[in-house]
Amino acid sequence: MEVKPYSHIVQYYETDKMGITHHSNYVRWMEEARVDFLKQIGWDYAKLEEEGIISPVVGVSCKYKTSTTFSDTVYVTVRVEHYTGVKLTLSYTMTNAEGKAVCSGTSEHCFVNAEGRIIQVKKDYPAFHAVLTELAEQ
């Protein structure tokens, strides 16, 4: 399954007084890319919520490589780094228009139902499990 990178254009309000993108925005772009990634694999947030699946972030990390500035285009590639059927780790590689790495990161997620109880995707949602398993093996 091919997933296309998410594209984000740095907005003026995302920069600081020095004209450089504030570090907090990279985590926001990871979330934007994750939403786009789930949509591309056929499991957008609306579908997950209809199925009763909530996927909170339980951890996040970023490593900044080089800065970006207003109007730069940042491409975010999302990959399933690790998936156990209960926990999902996604990796993010952000590059600029020249293909130079600007940031890398990960986000860790669990899966819970509306009552906040952990669910086992493999058992309770086999179709979603199959997609995540396939992507983890790529």
Side-chain angles (χ1 to χ4, degrees):
M1 175 179 301
E2 184 180 344
V3 178
K4 296 177 184 174
Y6 173 74
S7 174
H8 178 85
I9 298 173
V10 178
Q11 301 300 304
Y12 185 78
Y13 71 86
E14 295 174 312
T15 63
D16 60 19
K17 189 173 182 177
M18 297 179 291
I20 298 192
T21 304
H22 189 271
H23 68 276
S24 64
N25 289 294
Y26 294 87
V27 174
R28 288 182 46 243
W29 302 343
M30 287 166 55
E31 182 171 354
E32 291 173 12
R34 184 172 61 254
V35 168
D36 180 68
F37 170 81
L38 289 168
K39 183 177 183 179
Q40 287 189 58
I41 67 169
W43 286 87
D44 63 18
Y45 269 104
K47 182 174 181 173
L48 289 173
E49 290 177 355
E50 284 174 16
E51 294 284 338
I53 303 171
I54 301 168
S55 183
V57 174
V58 296
V60 66
S61 69
C62 282
K63 293 192 185 237
Y64 305 100
K65 312 284 185 184
T66 192
S67 59
T68 59
T69 58
F70 171 63
S71 80
D72 287 350
T73 301
V74 176
Y75 300 96
V76 186
T77 301
V78 181
R79 205 172 68 71
V80 175
E81 185 75 24
H82 187 69
Y83 172 66
T84 66
V86 175
K87 185 177 176 184
L88 172 67
T89 303
L90 298 174
S91 66
Y92 306 83
T93 303
M94 299 180 209
T95 56
N96 61 19
E98 292 78 38
K100 185 174 181 180
V102 298
C103 184
S104 62
T106 61
S107 63
E108 298 174 352
H109 308 263
C110 67
F111 300 95
V112 298
N113 62 20
E115 292 80 40
R117 292 192 175 90
I118 300 243
I119 57 175
Q120 295 181 21
V121 177
K122 181 178 182 175
K123 180 180 136 197
D124 300 330
Y125 303 94
F128 186 40
H129 172 75
V131 171
L132 292 176
T133 299
E134 176 187 340
L135 290 167
E137 292 171 352
Q138 290 183 350

